Amino acid sequence: MKKNDFRKNIKLTEPIFNKLKALMKVKDVKQYELIEILLDSYVTNKLSEKEREFFNYQMEQLEELRKEEH
Amino acid sequence: MKKNDFRKNIKLTEPIFNKLKALMKVKDVKQYELIEILLDSYVTNKLSEKEREFFNYQMEQLEELRKEEH
């Protein structure tokens, strides 16, 4: 992963950041890797069928935007 | 939540950020709220008992550090 790839910042409160940090130690992965694990796990296990369809639709929209920008 | 509370930055790649953004639209919550939902859901549902113990231990360590700093 190139340094240049990390172009998006998100801001967290200290308590939420600490939770993330504690979980990083448990799983022994990097920050961005953990965020992706959490996202994939939630999408797979916690979304209803309707929500997952809407999620995939949103992903397609964002992907099209990204293509237009680049 | 005060603006001042958001003191911790994390950097994401664009594909991971877009996944987060798509899921924000599904759940209609703010970025930091979604990260906390993802964390809590993962800790509750995906950690083994041993991992959860280690997670709680790490949380206590971080909490002590935080107290010393403030």
Side-chain angles (χ1 to χ4, degrees):
Chain A
M1 193 76 77
K2 283 174 268 161
K3 237 188 170 173
N4 231 357
D5 290 340
F6 294 90
R7 294 186 300 171
K8 297 291 180 179
N9 259 304
I10 66 175
K11 278 185 190 295
L12 299 177
T13 63
E14 201 168 9
I16 299 175
F17 182 78
N18 279 349
K19 238 184 239 186
L20 186 70
K21 215 163 147 184
L23 193 54
M24 275 166 67
K25 298 211 180 211
V26 178
K27 303 307 285 184
D28 195 22
V29 292
K30 297 194 172 75
Q31 248 171 30
Y32 70 95
E33 290 170 334
L34 180 55
I35 297 286
E36 191 161 38
I37 291 169
L38 297 178
L39 283 161
D40 291 344
S41 164
Y42 196 91
V43 168
T44 308
N45 300 302
K46 291 288 177 176
L47 293 191
S48 67
E49 204 176 318
K50 275 235 150 55
E51 284 177 323
R52 189 147 41 228
E53 270 169 34
F54 185 54
F55 173 81
N56 289 330
Y57 170 75
Q58 292 293 337
M59 287 293 284
E60 282 163 27
Q61 299 292 99
L62 289 166
E63 180 56 20
E64 268 174 44
L65 264 177
R66 204 185 60 77
K67 274 185 200 151
E68 278 168 28
E69 277 170 13
H70 292 274
Chain B
M1 193 77 78
K2 283 172 271 164
K3 238 186 168 174
N4 230 359
D5 290 340
F6 295 90
R7 294 186 300 173
K8 298 289 182 180
N9 260 304
I10 66 174
K11 277 185 189 297
L12 298 177
T13 63
E14 202 168 6
I16 300 175
F17 183 78
N18 279 349
K19 239 185 237 185
L20 186 70
K21 216 162 146 186
L23 192 54
M24 275 166 67
K25 298 211 181 211
V26 178
K27 304 306 285 183
D28 195 22
V29 292
K30 296 195 173 74
Q31 248 172 30
Y32 70 94
E33 290 170 333
L34 180 56
I35 297 286
E36 191 160 40
I37 291 169
L38 297 179
L39 283 162
D40 291 344
S41 164
Y42 196 90
V43 168
T44 309
N45 299 301
K46 291 289 178 175
L47 293 191
S48 68
E49 205 176 316
K50 275 235 149 61
E51 284 177 323
R52 190 146 41 231
E53 270 169 34
F54 185 55
F55 174 80
N56 289 331
Y57 170 75
Q58 292 293 338
M59 287 294 284
E60 282 163 28
Q61 299 292 99
L62 288 167
E63 180 56 20
E64 268 174 44
L65 264 177
R66 202 185 62 78
K67 274 185 199 151
E68 279 168 27
E69 277 171 14
H70 291 275

